[in-house]
Amino acid sequence: MVSHIQLKFPTLAVYTVSLPLLSFVFACFGPCCFIFESATFTHCQVRNYLPSISAAIGSFSPQKYIWQICVAVHSAPRYLVVGMYYSHLCDILLTGALWNYLALLIFLLQGVEVTSLLGLTFVSSSENFHIHELCFITFMVSAISNMLLLYLTMKHGTKHRLTAQDRLSLRYKSMFGMVNIISFFLAVYFYFRHNWYCEPTVYTFFAFFEYIVVVTNMGYHMTAFWDFSDHIITVSSCCSLSITPKQHTKFAMNDFVIKIA
């Protein structure tokens, strides 16, 4: 007899996003409660009220270990969702080489985003600044590119009329994506202003918008909750995993299956 476990995808989505979100809150605000001066110190030695994410997750224990564990655990379902989106886009997008290339590009961007997140998580800026910086730049470029392309392709490139749930997902994608991009450029502005002029509290604004970038990135990926709301994940004892719709959808999506021999 083959035993198996079934899990609704929305449940998996909530747990997957909760892991980095809760560890992020703990890593960033924990030091403020116990080691405020060390956590908010910068080379300018001016008044500051929030630690940067790099300092919070790379300089203090046990925060950085909790963050690393949660990011590592959440990366497995994230890679799974990358494959699900590729299958989903291949099914719903218009026919033609352009849309096929866009689906493949989004697949690659999402994979690079998760991989670079792992890189900047496990290589802190204090350990190897150049690798950490490279991973961060790669993460932001791939994340923003994915946000824009996924939103535009799902809004303008589908074969069929969008459902109410599709429109809800796109609405949240638009909201989280717009806030993410604006916050990123504001964080960059305050970062360089702090380093150039060493003004009090400017680094606090940088850290605040850096937090918004991370939270809105999580929120954007949480929209998979609606994109795959009718999917069930089945894990069986014969080392196979499958993700299938609970019932036939209007797009007649094929089962997305991963099997390990």
Side-chain angles (χ1 to χ4, degrees):
M1 180 181 294
V2 177
S3 61
H4 63 275
I5 300 173
Q6 289 189 331
L7 181 67
K8 295 179 180 179
F9 180 83
T11 303
L12 178 65
V14 171
Y15 286 132
T16 301
V17 174
S18 296
L19 280 172
L21 178 61
L22 294 177
S23 61
F24 168 76
V25 172
F26 176 73
C28 290
F29 294 102
C32 291
C33 298
F34 304 107
I35 45 174
F36 180 81
E37 294 297 330
S38 299
T40 58
F41 177 81
T42 71
H43 70 281
C44 287
Q45 299 185 33
V46 293
R47 189 166 64 255
N48 175 37
Y49 299 103
L50 291 174
S52 68
I53 295 176
S54 295
I57 67 174
S59 303
F60 306 107
S61 302
Q63 289 89 342
K64 69 175 182 179
Y65 300 118
I66 294 174
W67 169 255
Q68 289 173 351
I69 291 170
C70 289
V71 169
V73 172
H74 110 294
S75 65
R78 282 288 303 278
Y79 280 119
L80 183 65
V81 174
V82 170
M84 291 176 65
Y85 263 117
Y86 179 67
S87 177
H88 181 56
L89 291 174
C90 288
D91 281 336
I92 69 170
L93 292 183
L94 298 167
T95 56
L98 173 62
W99 300 108
N100 292 335
Y101 286 135
L102 283 174
L104 179 59
L105 179 58
I106 291 170
F107 170 76
L108 294 174
L109 287 171
Q110 291 180 341
V112 169
E113 179 184 349
V114 180
T115 304
S116 56
L117 174 61
L118 288 170
L120 66 90
T121 296
F122 285 93
V123 181
S124 68
S125 58
S126 59
E127 293 173 339
N128 192 317
F129 177 79
H130 296 295
I131 293 180
H132 183 85
E133 181 183 44
L134 176 62
C135 289
F136 174 76
I137 293 173
T138 304
F139 172 77
M140 288 307 307
V141 171
S142 58
I144 292 176
S145 300
N146 168 64
M147 286 181 182
L148 293 172
L149 287 177
L150 183 60
Y151 172 78
L152 292 173
T153 53
M154 294 185 70
K155 183 176 177 63
H156 300 291
T158 56
K159 301 174 186 177
H160 307 279
R161 183 185 296 273
L162 296 174
T163 65
Q165 192 153 273
D166 293 333
R167 290 193 294 271
L168 178 63
S169 175
L170 286 171
R171 191 178 305 121
Y172 279 111
K173 281 182 172 64
S174 175
M175 180 184 69
F176 284 123
M178 186 180 303
V179 175
N180 181 277
I181 294 171
I182 293 173
S183 298
F184 171 69
F185 285 110
L186 285 172
V188 171
Y189 166 74
F190 284 114
Y191 175 81
F192 283 107
R193 179 166 175 169
H194 167 76
N195 283 289
W196 290 336
Y197 303 111
C198 285
E199 299 169 303
T201 71
V202 168
Y203 199 76
T204 302
F205 285 105
F206 158 70
F208 172 76
F209 285 111
E210 193 181 29
Y211 296 172
I212 299 299
V213 168
V214 171
V215 173
T216 52
N217 178 274
M218 296 178 190
Y220 188 96
H221 290 294
M222 185 62 193
T223 60
F225 179 98
W226 293 284
D227 294 333
F228 304 107
S229 62
D230 64 339
H231 283 55
I232 293 178
I233 300 169
T234 303
V235 182
S236 68
S237 61
C238 61
C239 297
S240 68
L241 182 150
S242 65
I243 301 94
T244 60
K246 288 187 290 187
Q247 56 188 3
H248 292 292
T249 65
K250 65 180 294 184
F251 302 126
M253 182 184 296
N254 296 324
D255 292 353
F256 179 81
V257 180
I258 297 176
K259 290 186 178 179
I260 304 173

